[in-house]
């Protein structure tokens, strides 16, 4: 049994694969953070974002949506000057908009977790991929999630980003069947 090959290369990547990736996640704040980070990844590798994750947590006030929704031009300028994150204006503005959209969902009495997990009928999809070539970049469910997030006001939530988010959040188990984490994640309780 070997790990999914995408996680080989450096210790932090393997640790992420072995402890977080694919574990069903239901914590609203953690899901919000993950959505922002997946959007930041667009056009880059997850390794790049993972290496900067702690910097992101500091720069974005622990991913507190109330604080992020209030960011002004001065804060945007400070973020654009922060070499510890991806300095992309569109992605930073999207994070602020996403905080506002998140707060609007909560104000409507809906948890972010419930909103997201309904796209897999509240149960992780257990895929049975034998090779990385079989793993899709997007699916009809990620298409639907992308459209629903867009309608709710979220940005940087295209279908490919949404599918990567669904994999990370454990909405789909895309560990290869040859990876020991496939069975471990399948039997793991939600976080």
């Amino acid at each position: 049994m070997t790990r999914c090959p995408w996680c080989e290369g450096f210790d932090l990547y393997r640790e992420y694969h072995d402890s977080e990736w694919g574990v069903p996640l239901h914590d609203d704040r953690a899901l919000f953070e993950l959505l922002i980070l997946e959007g930041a990844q667009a056009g880059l590798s997850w390794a790049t974002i993972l290496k900067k994750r702690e910097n992101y947590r500091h720069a974005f006030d622990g991913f507190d949506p109330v604080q992020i929704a209030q960011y002004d031009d001065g804060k945007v300028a400070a973020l654009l000057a922060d070499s510890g994150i991806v300095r992309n204006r569109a992605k930073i503005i999207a994070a602020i908009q996403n905080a506002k959209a998140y707060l609007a969902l909560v104000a409507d009495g809906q948890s972010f977790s419930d909103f997201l997990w309904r796209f897999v009928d509240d149960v992780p999809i257990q895929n049975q991929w034998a090779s990385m070539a079989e793993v899709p970049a997007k699916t009809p469910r990620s298409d639907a999630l992308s459209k629903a997030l867009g309608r709710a006001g979220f940005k940087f939530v295209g279908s490919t980003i949404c599918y990567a988010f669904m994999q990370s959040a454990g909405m789909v188990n895309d560990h290869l069947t040859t990876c020991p984490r496939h069975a471990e994640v399948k039997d793991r309780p939600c976080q």
Side-chain angles (χ1 to χ4, degrees):
M1 297 284 276
T2 58
R3 286 182 179 97
C4 299
W6 62 261
C7 76
E8 297 302 341
F10 61 98
D11 289 341
L12 186 60
Y13 222 14
R14 281 187 293 276
E15 289 170 23
Y16 172 74
H17 170 273
D18 291 353
S19 62
E20 293 180 57
W21 193 74
V23 175
L25 183 61
H26 285 275
D27 179 83
D28 281 359
R29 176 75 71 86
L31 288 164
F32 175 71
E33 173 183 327
L34 184 57
L35 186 67
I36 299 300
L37 292 175
E38 289 290 354
Q41 180 210 345
L44 304 169
S45 71
W46 182 246
T48 298
I49 301 304
L50 192 58
K51 289 175 185 175
K52 294 177 178 281
R53 182 165 63 169
E54 288 306 317
N55 295 329
Y56 265 96
R57 287 174 174 161
H58 176 72
F60 281 86
D61 296 297
F63 289 98
D64 179 348
V66 172
Q67 289 188 53
I68 295 171
Q70 297 173 15
Y71 286 179
D72 59 14
D73 291 342
K75 179 64 175 185
V76 171
L79 290 168
L80 286 169
D82 188 338
S83 63
I85 66 169
V86 174
R87 294 177 287 182
N88 177 297
R89 178 177 293 280
K91 292 176 181 181
I92 291 168
I93 298 300
I96 297 167
Q97 175 55 39
N98 289 351
K100 293 174 182 177
Y102 172 94
L103 293 172
L105 278 177
V106 172
D108 277 349
Q110 188 167 188
S111 87
F112 194 45
S113 176
D114 290 347
F115 176 86
L116 297 167
W117 278 86
R118 68 184 166 100
F119 290 92
V120 293
D121 301 322
D122 298 315
V123 179
I125 295 168
Q126 301 297 325
N127 289 318
Q128 301 291 316
W129 313 124
S131 75
M132 292 302 299
E134 295 176 75
V135 180
K138 61 182 185 171
T139 66
R141 288 179 192 250
S142 68
D143 292 344
L145 176 57
S146 172
K147 288 176 185 169
L149 285 167
R151 282 191 303 271
F154 289 84
K155 304 295 181 196
F156 271 87
V157 289
S159 187
T160 301
I161 290 171
C162 283
Y163 195 70
F165 171 83
M166 293 169 78
Q167 292 172 311
S168 296
M171 295 169 73
V172 295
N173 181 358
D174 273 355
H175 284 281
L176 300 182
T177 55
T178 56
C179 176
R181 290 293 291 162
H182 186 276
E184 292 168 8
V185 165
K186 183 178 179 183
D187 298 329
R188 182 119 182 224
C190 296
Q191 291 184 345

